[in-house]
């Protein structure tokens, strides 16, 4: 177990209101506890997104392709601060400007590790240069690739077991950002993809 498994996360209700806190490890034990998370999508000028293949040592959905970076803010920590911390840790990046494009509430069980993802996931976008220099941590990231988000959606249907189960909803939020006039309610949930369950 990594030291990050001992970090605290915010437990939330299905409207995103904080109702407590627990450790990362406890939040991801079956049956799972709904907690705040974030998923970052780095987007280049051509509209491609950077995907990472999660390292083999990850405790949840190892070796699956996922969004550029994800994680959990500490209780009371801003999403931007938490996301930039994880971008530095996972990809070796300097801070970037992030915009929230929606929220994705999802539940997924990892058949390989027995862990559970039950997350109130804030989807964050950052526009970055095409030649963005990265220094991925091999304990976090097995591989990186730039892809068209539409192609990702099609491939998720063709080969869902190659991808983290949350990626479809995250890409959906990028392609169809939340309407800011509907503040206070999460974006409509995208159909959950099984991720090979």
């Amino acid at each position: 177990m990594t030291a990050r498994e001992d970090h605290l996360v915010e437990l939330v209700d299905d409207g995103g209101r904080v109702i407590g806190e627990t450790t990362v490890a406890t939040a991801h034990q079956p049956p799972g506890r709904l907690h705040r998370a974030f998923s970052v999508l780095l987007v280049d000028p051509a509209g491609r997104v950077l995907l990472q293949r999660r390292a083999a040592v990850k405790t949840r959905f190892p070796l699956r392709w996922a969004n550029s970076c994800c994680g959990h803010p500490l209780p009371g920590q801003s999403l931007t601060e938490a996301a930039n911390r994880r971008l530095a840790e996972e990809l070796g990046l300097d801070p970037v400007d992030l915009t929230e494009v929606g929220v994705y509430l999802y539940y997924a069980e990892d058949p390989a590790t027995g862990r559970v993802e039950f997350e109130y996931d804030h989807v964050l976008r950052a526009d970055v240069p095409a030649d963005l220099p990265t220094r991925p941590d091999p304990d976090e990231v097995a591989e990186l690739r730039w892809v068209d988000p539409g192609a990702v959606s099609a491939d998720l249907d063709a080969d869902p077991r190659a991808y983290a189960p949350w990626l479809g909803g995250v890409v959906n939020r990028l392609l169809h950002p939340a309407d800011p006039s509907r503040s206070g309610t999460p974006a409509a949930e995208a159909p959950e993809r099984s991720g090979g369950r």
Side-chain angles (χ1 to χ4, degrees), residues 152-170:
V152 171
S153 291
D155 203 35
L156 279 161
D157 289 330
D159 188 15
R161 294 172 62 132
Y163 296 92
W166 60 86
L167 184 60
V170 170

Side-chain angles (χ1 to χ4, degrees), residues 175-193:
L175 296 174
H176 309 285
D179 179 352
S181 68
R182 293 178 15 198
S183 62
T185 59
E189 229 175 294
E192 182 180 330
R193 298 177 193 270

Side-chain angles (χ1 to χ4, degrees), residues 9-196:
V9 295
E10 288 182 337
L11 297 175
V12 298
D13 64 17
D14 60 7
R17 291 173 289 276
V18 177
I19 57 172
E21 56 188 49
T22 191
T23 65
V24 170
T26 301
H28 292 89
Q29 291 298 322
R33 303 201 48 203
L34 183 60
H35 59 281
R36 189 175 317 285
F38 59 83
S39 291
V40 176
L41 285 166
L42 301 177
V43 183
D44 78 2
R48 297 179 308 163
V49 296
L50 183 67
L51 296 187
Q52 69 156 273
R53 189 167 181 230
R54 295 166 62 81
V57 296
K58 289 283 200 177
T59 60
R60 296 171 301 280
F61 299 98
L63 297 176
R64 303 260 193 125
W65 285 99
N67 46 286
S68 310
C69 170
C70 34
H72 310 94
L74 299 169
Q77 185 180 38
S78 76
L79 291 170
T80 299
E81 182 183 350
N84 273 309
R85 172 179 46 86
R86 290 300 292 146
L87 284 165
E89 291 169 356
E90 292 189 17
L91 300 175
L93 296 184
D94 292 330
V96 296
D97 290 328
L98 294 156
T99 302
E100 186 170 342
V101 295
V103 171
Y104 177 48
L105 183 66
Y106 72 94
Y107 178 89
E109 298 170 1
D110 184 350
T113 66
R115 305 284 175 86
V116 172
E117 294 276 4
F118 188 21
E119 297 191 330
Y120 188 92
D121 192 21
H122 299 264
V123 180
L124 306 173
R125 172 190 179 135
D127 293 299
V128 297
D131 59 351
L132 180 72
T134 59
R135 297 177 308 281
D137 178 345
D139 288 334
E140 300 279 357
V141 180
E143 192 177 346
L144 295 171
R145 70 178 186 193
W146 289 96
V147 296
D148 175 84
V152 171
S153 291
D155 203 35
L156 279 161
D157 289 330
D159 188 15
R161 294 172 62 132
Y163 296 92
W166 60 86
L167 184 60
V170 170
V171 169
N172 181 274
R173 296 302 178 269
L174 175 71
L175 296 174
H176 309 285
D179 179 352
S181 68
R182 293 178 15 198
S183 62
T185 59
E189 229 175 294
E192 182 180 330
R193 298 177 193 270
S194 71

